[in-house]
Amino acid sequence: MTLLLGAFTIGLILSLLAMGVYVSFRIFDVPDITTDGSITLGAAIAAVLLVNGYNPLVATAAAAVGGAVAGSLTGVLHTRFKINALLSGILVMTALYSVNLHVMGRSNIPLMQARTLTSYSEKAGQWLIGANEFNLFGWRVGAGDAAVLVMALLAAIIVGYALYLFFRTNMGTAMRATGNNAQMIRALGANVERNIILGLALSNGLVALSGALLAQYQGFADAQMGIGMVVWGLASVIIGEALVGGSSLGLTIIGTILGSVLFRLLVAIALRWGLNPNDLKLITALFVFAALVLPRLMRQMKARPRSAA
Amino acid sequence: MLKISGIHKTFNPGTVNEVHALRGVDLTIEEGSFVVVLGMNGSGKSTLLNAVAGSFRVDEGSIKLDDRDVTKWPEHRRAAMIGRVFQNPFSGTAPDMSIAENFAMAASRGKTRGLGWALSKGLMDALRDRVATLKMGLEDRLDNAIGSLSGGQRQALTLLMASWIKPALLLLDEHTAALDPKSADQVIELSKEVIEKDGLTTLMVTHSMQQAVNLGDRIIMMHRGQIAHDFRGAEKKRLRAEDLLDCFEEIRRREQLDESAAAMLEQLYI
Ligand SMILES: Nc1ncnc2c1ncn2[C@@H]1O[C@H](COP(=O)(O)OP(=O)(O)O)[C@@H](O)[C@H]1O
Ligand SMILES: [Mg+2]
C-alpha cells in the first residue's frame, strides 16, 4: 500500500513537469530539453534554501522562478539568436549542469533534517487523524503518507486549473495561437518572439516547481536527477492524450495529469515485477518512440489500398 | 492613407539566389481608395504587400501609413493598423483553435493582450450576429476548430477577422486564388461588402482581369519590381478586361524583345 501511495504521489508531483512539457511540446511545438536541467535547478534551489532554514513555500517559489529564468534563456537563444529550438534547449541544459552544481555546492543535498512542505504535510496529517496510521478499506495507511498525497493532489489540481484559466485569457489564447500559427497571430499584432520566451519560461517554471516538490518528497536533491525527464514528460503527455481522447484544452490538461500518474503506476508495477531499474530510461524512450511512430504507421496501413478482391 | 516612396528590396543579396524583387516603387493611396494590383508571376506583388505589412525591412525608401512613418516598425506593431488576408486559407487562421478564439485574437489586434477572458459574452454575441450574415451556418459552430472548415469558409472568416477592428489599410493577396470558383465568388462578394461598408483603404492582388475591372477605383500593374501601369478615375472605369490583356501582351512582347536582344548580344560578344 505504501508503495502504491508513493507511486501516486510521485506521479502527481511529476504531473507538474508533464504540464510544463505539455506547454512547450504541445502548445509551442518545441521539444524543450531545458526540462532536464530545470527540474534539477528547481530541486537545487529549493534544497539550498531549505537547508539554510528558509520557509518551504519561499524556497519552492524561488525554485519556480529559477526555472522560469532558465526557460526564458532558451527562448532568447531560440528567438533572438535564431538558434534551432532543440539546440537552444541543449545549450541551456548543458550550462545548467554546471550552474546546478554551483548552486548546490556538491552533487547531492540531503533534506532529512530540513523542514519541508513534505514534513509539514506529514505533521498536519498526523495531527488531523490523531494517529500515525489509519485504516483505509482494510489497509494500514500512514497518516503522513496520506497527507502528502493529498497535498500533491491539491498542487496538481491547482496548477492544472490555473493553467487552464490562463490559456483562456487574451494573453494565454495568443500564446496558444503562437504555437498553432505564428504567421496568423503575428498579423494580428502579437509579438511572437516574446510569446515563445514567455511560454518557455512558464513551461520551465512548472518543471522547476515539480523538481522542488520532488526533492522535498524524496528527501534530497541530486545533480543527476534530471536525466531523461523531458522524455518522461512526453510519455505522460502522450498517455494522457490517449486516455482522454479529446483535444480540447481542459481535457488535455486533465489527461496530462492522469497520464503522469498512470505512467508512474505502470513503472512502479514493472519495477515490482523485477524490471531492472537501469532499464527504465531505455523503456521510457522506446515507449515514446512507439507512441510517436505508431499513429503514423496506422494511418499508412489504413490509407494503403486493399488488393482487389 | 498609404504613402510608399522609392522602396527597394533585394532577397539573398550577394548570393546566386539574389532577386531584386522591388526596384523603386512609389505609390500613394488615398484614404478610402480600393486599389487592385495586377502583374505576372514573380513581378513583386506579394513582395510589395509584405513590405507594407512589415514581413521584412525594405533596403531603401520609406513607408508611411496615416502620416506615421512605419518603415522601421516590426510587423506585429504595424498589425495594429493593418488587416490581412493571405492567399493560403491555412495562413490566416489558427486551425486547432475554435472559430470564436480566432475572432477573439482578431478583436484584440494591436491591443495589449492581458489577463481578461478572451471569450467575453459581448464578443460572442457580436460574433454570432456577424457570422450569421455569412449565411454559411457557422454561427452555431463557433466552438468548432476553424481547421475543420472548408477553404472558402476560412477565407470568409479571415476577411471578417481582418476587418473586425477597422484597419487603416486592408491587404488582400490573391485571397481567392486557392478556392473553387463558387467559393471565390462568394469571398469576392463579401470582400466588396466589407470594403464598401467601412470605406476601407484596400490593396488587393488578383490574377483575375474580370475582378480587376469589376472592383475598386484604381488598378496598378506591376512588372519586374516596378509599377508599369497605373489606371485611375475615369480611365479605370472605362477599362475592360481585354484592355488589360492587351497591356499584358505588350509587356510580354517587350520582354521577349529584350530576351532576343540579349541573346543576340551574347552571341555577338561572348
Ligand atoms: N522571401 C523571399 N525570399 C527570396 N525570394 C523571394 C522571397 N519572396 C519573394 N521572392 C522572389 O521575389 C520575386 C517576386 O516575388 P513575389 O512578390 O512573390 O511575386 P508575385 O508577383 O507573383 O506575388 C520572385 O522572383 C520571388 O522568387
Ligand atoms: Mg504572389
Side-chain angles (χ1 to χ4, degrees), chain A residues 164-178 180-181 183-194 249, chain B residues 75-76 79 82 84 86 90-97 101-102 104-106 108-110 113-119 161:
Chain A
Y164 171 74
L165 292 180
F166 172 70
F167 280 122
R168 299 192 48 179
T169 64
N170 276 308
M171 190 193 271
T173 307
M175 283 168 96
R176 280 160 61 212
T178 300
N180 201 213
N181 184 348
Q183 183 183 21
M184 167 264 194
I185 196 68
R186 192 181 277 123
L188 292 178
N191 186 337
V192 165
E193 287 71 29
R194 198 200 56 183
L249 179 65
Chain B
E75 181 173 2
H76 66 85
I82 296 178
R84 270 187 110 175
F86 303 90
F90 295 104
S91 300
T93 48
D96 296 336
M97 298 172 69
E101 285 170 331
N102 273 273
M105 292 300 95
S108 55
R109 175 166 58 80
R113 294 188 171 92
L115 294 178
W117 295 132
L119 301 179
M161 283 165 59

Side-chain angles (χ1 to χ4, degrees), chain B residues 68-79:
Chain B
R68 271 189 271 188
D69 188 341
V70 299
T71 316
K72 297 204 168 101
W73 288 20
E75 181 173 2
H76 66 85
R77 189 167 166 212
R78 295 188 206 184

